[in-house]
C-alpha cells in the first residue's frame, strides 16, 4: 500500500469509528470509549484532512460546523408534504377519535403506537444514498426553509445513515428540541452576555435553528427525535409504524425510547396517564401524547383530511395554568436599568409549584393585557422560566379598578424613564441609580472606556457592597487604605489600582462619553458626538433637534442622550468627575487636515484598533474613506489577511501601506484628539 492509500484508508476508518462512537454517545446514550479517546480520534482525522484536503468529505464528522453565515434561508419544497396533527383535549374526544377509526376500518380493536409529543420544531431531513443532503423546517407543510447548515451541527443527527443498504431517497420527519438542562444553560449564558433570555425551550429551539450563523447554532445543545418519513425511494418500506421506528433507529437516527405499542382507546388512555405522571422527570418538555394507527395498510385506508392524517392524533396535556388574584404591580429595575413590571399574586399552585409573582415583561405588554390590581388572571409556568400572565379574566374584574400607570420615574433613584427603540423602558439615572451601580462602574472602568486596569468585577462588587463608592466620581477619592481591607487586596495591589484610577483621569472626549454609559450610546456614537460638538458643555446644552444633526444619531438616540443630560444627578456626577481632574485634550474640527482631499481604502484586520476606529481617525485627518479600490483611490491601508483589494491596488499602482503607516499618520494627530 502506498503512503497515500494508507492515509485514505485511515481517514475512512476514523470516520467510521467516530460515527460509531458518536451514535453510541448521543443516540444510544451508551458510550464505549472515553471522551478523551474520542477527542484523540477526532484530532487524528482533522490532521489527516488538513494534510490531505483531497480526502476531506462533506459527511465527515469534522464537517458539522463548516458553513459560513448566510443572509437568508432558501425555500425548500418537501418531497412529500409534511403533515400536522389534529388535537384532542379530553378522554371523550379521544374516544370519539378511536370510534371513527374503528368504524372506518370495520374492526374492533386497533393497535396504536404511542409516543410523547415534544414541544419543539418540526423538520424534514433528506438523505440521498444515505448522506444528509438537505434539512428544512416545516414551513406551511409544502415549502419550508433550508436549515441544512444548522441541522448539521446537531450532534445526534447523523450526517450519514448507518447500515449497508440505505434507501435511495429518504425524507425523515422529526422534532428538533432543546432539553431542559440545555435550555437553562443557554439562558444563563444569554443573561451573562446581557442578552434577553428565551421565554421557553420551544422559542429557544426555534431561535437556535433559525440562526443565520451555524457557528451560533453549534453552541446550542439542540437534540432531535425522529417519528416518521416523507418521500421514500428504495426497497419496500416498513409495513407498520412500529417497524418504521425500528428501522429509523437501525439507520442511526434518534427515536424516542418512550414509544410503545398500545391496544385501543383503553391502551391509549393508560399510556397518557402514565406519561402524565412521568412528565416532570423527562429531560425535555412535552405537551401531550401522539397516537398513530400502527398498520401502514390501515393508515392508507384512513387517509388524510387537509394535511391532517385521520390515522394519528395528538392528545394534549392540560396547560400548566391556574387562576389567581393580582394584589399588586411592582416595577423592578435590572442591572442594566431596564424596568420590568411584575404582578404580585395571591400564591397559587401551577404545575406543582407555588407561584406568587408573574412577569409582565415590559410596559407595552402590561398595557396590551391591561392587568390591574384586583384582577383575576390566568398564570402559566412554561418549564422552569419565570411564570407569566396569560390573560385577564375580564368578566371577573371588580368595579372601581384603575389601569396601571407605568412610572415615568425610576422607583429606585427617581430619574426619568426612557423608552428605547424596542419595548424596553430604561432608567436614565445610569450614574446614580443603585440598581445599576455595579454595572455602571464596571463599564466606566472597562478597557475601551476609561481603561482602569485592575478594577474588575470582584473589586467593584466589594466597593459597592461596603459602600466605599456610590458613583463613578467616588472612584477618584479612593486611597489605598480604602482597599486594603478587601478580599484579595494587598497593599501592593491596592496601590496599583489607585494609581490606575489616577492615571485614567487623562482621557479623551470619546472615551469619556462612552464611559458615561448613556443608553444607546456606544463607541461609534461617542466618537461621532465628540467630533460634532468638540466640547462637552456644548453637547450637554444641545437639544434633540441639534442632536439629530450628528451623523447616525436618530430621534431615539437623541432622546436618550437629552434625557440623560437633563437629569441633574447625572450632571452632578459629571461635574464631580471634572472636579476630580478628569480631562481630555480639546478636539480640533476636521478642517484642512493632513489627508485633506485624499481617498483611502481600509482592508484586512488591524491589530490595535477596529476598522471603524481607523475610519474615524482617518476622517479626522481629512481623508475620505471608501470601501472599494478604484483609479481615484490615493492610498490603501492593509492589515492582516487583506484579500483582493491589495492586488487591485498593486495593479493600479496605488501605494499600499501597513498598519505602521497608518499609525505614522495618526501620530501627527495625537495633539488634537484621542
Ligand atoms: O413530537 C412531536 N411534536 C410530533 C409531531 C410527533 C409525531 O409523531 C408527529 C408530529 C407531527 C406530525 N407526527 C406527525 C405525523
Amino acid at each position: 500500500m502506498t503512503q497515500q492509500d494508507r492515509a485514505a484508508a485511515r481517514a475512512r476508518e476514523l470516520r467510521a469509528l467516530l460515527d460509531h462512537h458518536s451514535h453510541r454517545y448521543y443516540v444510544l446514550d451508551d458510550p464505549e470509549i472515553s471522551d478523551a479517546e474520542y477527542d484523540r480520534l477526532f484530532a487524528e482525522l482533522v490532521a489527516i484532512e488538513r494534510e490531505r484536503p483531497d480526502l476531506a468529505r462533506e459527511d465527515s464528522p469534522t464537517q458539522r460546523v463548516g458553513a459560513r453565515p448566510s443572509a437568508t434561508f432558501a425555500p425548500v419544497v418537501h418531497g412529500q408534504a409534511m403533515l400536522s396533527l389534529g388535537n384532542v383535549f379530553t378522554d371523550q374526544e379521544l374516544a370519539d377519535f378511536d370510534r371513527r377509526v374503528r368504524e372506518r376500518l370495520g374492526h374492533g380493536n386497533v393497535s396504536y403506537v404511542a409516543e410523547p409529543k415534544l414541544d419543539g420544531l418540526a423538520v424534514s431531513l433528506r438523505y440521498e444514498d444515505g448522506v444528509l443532503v438537505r434539512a428544512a423546517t416545516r414551513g406551511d407543510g409544502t415549502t419550508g426553509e433550508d436549515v441544512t447548515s444548522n441541522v448539521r451541527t446537531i450532534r445526534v443527527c447523523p450526517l450519514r445513515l448507518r447500515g449497508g443498504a440505505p434507501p435511495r431517497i429518504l425524507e425523515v420527519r422529526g422534532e428538533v428540541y432543546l432539553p431542559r438542562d440545555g435550555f437553562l444553560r443557554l439562558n444563563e449564558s444569554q443573561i451573562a452576555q446581557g442578552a434577553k433570555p428565551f421565554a421557553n425551550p420551544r422559542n429557544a429551539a426555534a431561535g437556535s435553528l433559525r440562526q443565520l450563523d451555524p457557528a451560533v447554532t453549534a453552541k446550542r445543545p439542540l437534540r432531535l427525535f425522529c417519528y416518521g418519513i416523507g418521500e421514500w425511494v428504495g426497497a419496500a418500506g416498513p409495513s407498520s409504524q412500529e417497524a418504521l421506528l425500528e428501522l429509523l433507529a437501525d439507520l442511526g437516527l434518534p427515536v424516542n425510547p418512550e414509544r410503545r405499542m398500545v391496544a385501543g382507546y383503553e391502551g391509549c388512555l393508560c399510556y397518557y396517564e402514565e406519561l402524565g405522571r412521568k412528565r416532570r422527570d423527562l429531560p425535555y418538555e412535552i405537551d401531550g401524547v401522539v397516537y398513530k394507527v400502527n398498520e401502514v395498510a390501515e393508515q392508507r385506508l384512513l387517509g388524510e383530511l387537509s394535511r391532517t392524517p385521520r390515522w394519528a392524533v395528538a392528545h394534549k396535556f392540560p396547560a400548566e395554568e391556574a387562576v389567581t388574584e393580582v394584589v399588586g404591580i411592582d416595577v423592578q429595575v435590572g442591572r442594566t436599568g431596564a424596568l420590568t413590571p411584575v404582578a404580585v399574586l395571591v400564591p397559587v399552585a401551577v404545575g406543582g409549584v407555588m407561584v406568587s409573582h408573574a412577569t409582565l415583561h415590559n410596559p407595552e405588554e402590561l398595557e396590551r393585557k391591561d392587568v390591574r390590581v384586583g384582577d383575576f388572571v390566568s398564570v402559566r409556568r412554561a418549564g422552569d422560566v419565570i411564570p407569566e400572565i396569560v390573560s385577564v379574566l375580564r368578566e371577573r374584574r371588580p368595579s372601581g379598578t384603575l389601569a396601571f400607570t407605568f412610572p415615568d420615574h425610576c422607583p429606585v433613584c427617581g430619574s426619568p424613564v426612557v423608552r428605547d427603540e424596542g419595548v424596553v423602558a430604561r432608567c436614565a439615572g445610569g450614574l446614580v441609580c443603585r440598581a445599576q451601580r455595579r454595572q455602571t462602574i464596571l463599564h466606566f472602568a472597562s478597557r475601551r472606556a476609561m481603561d482602569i486596569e485592575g478594577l474588575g468585577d470582584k473589586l467593584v462588587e466589594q466597593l459597592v457592597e461596603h459602600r466605599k463608592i456610590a458613583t463613578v466620581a467616588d472612584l477618584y477619592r479612593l486611597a489605598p487604605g480604602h482597599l486594603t481591607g478587601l478580599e484579595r487586596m494587598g497593599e501592593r495591589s491596592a496601590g496599583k489600582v489607585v494609581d490606575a484610577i489616577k492615571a485614567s483621569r487623562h482621557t479623551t472626549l470619546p472615551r469619556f462619553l462612552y464611559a458615561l454609559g448613556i443608553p444607546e450610546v456606544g463607541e461609534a456614537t461617542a466618537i461621532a458626538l465628540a467630533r460634532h460638538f468638540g466640547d462637552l458643555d456644548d453637547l450637554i446644552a444641545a437639544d434633540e433637534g441639534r442632536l439629530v444633526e450628528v451623523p447616525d444619531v436618530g430621534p431615539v438616540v437623541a432622546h436618550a442622550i437629552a434625557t440623560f443630560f437633563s437629569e441633574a444627578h447625572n450632571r452632578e456626577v459629571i461635574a464631580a468627575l471634572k472636579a476630580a481632574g478628569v480631562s481630555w485634550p480639546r478636539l480640533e474640527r476636521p478642517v484642512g487636515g493632513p489627508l485633506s482631499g485624499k481617498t483611502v481604502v481600509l482592508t484586512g484586520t488591524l491589530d490595535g484598533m477596529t476598522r471603524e476606529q481607523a475610519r474615524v481617525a482617518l476622517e479626522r485627518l481629512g481623508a475620505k474613506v471608501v470601501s472599494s479600490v478604484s483609479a481615484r483611490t490615493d492610498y490603501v491601508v492593509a492589515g492582516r489577511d487583506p484579500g483582493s483589494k491589495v492586488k487591485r491596488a498593486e495593479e493600479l499602482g496605488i501605494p499600499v501601506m501597513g498598519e505602521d503607516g497608518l499609525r505614522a499618520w495618526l501620530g501627527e494627530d495625537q495633539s488634537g484628539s484621542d
Side-chain angles (χ1 to χ4, degrees), residues 83-85 115-118 175 227 290 292 309 311:
L83 304 175
S84 59
L85 293 171
E115 64 176 9
K117 180 169 185 298
L118 271 83
E175 195 86 357
Y227 53 69
V290 181
K292 290 179 179 167
W311 45 267

Side-chain angles (χ1 to χ4, degrees), residues 299-376:
Q299 295 179 358
R300 295 231 171 87
L301 270 172
L302 291 161
E304 284 148 27
L305 190 72
S306 63
R307 295 281 151 78
T308 308
R310 279 197 285 244
W311 45 267
V313 78
H315 190 181
K316 292 297 203 72
F317 288 128
E320 297 194 277
E321 282 186 25
V323 171
T324 186
E325 190 184 346
V326 177
V327 293
I329 296 174
D330 282 353
V331 175
Q332 296 180 348
V333 187
R335 279 191 307 145
T336 58
L339 271 63
T340 308
V342 175
V344 186
L345 308 167
V346 172
V348 63
V350 188
V353 174
M354 288 309 280
V355 168
S356 58
H357 291 86
T359 181
L360 285 153
H361 299 293
N362 55 58
E364 196 170 85
E365 176 95 352
L366 172 61
E367 277 154 30
R368 196 168 57 74
K369 292 188 173 148
D370 185 23
V371 178
R372 303 179 179 194
V373 176
D375 268 340
F376 285 86

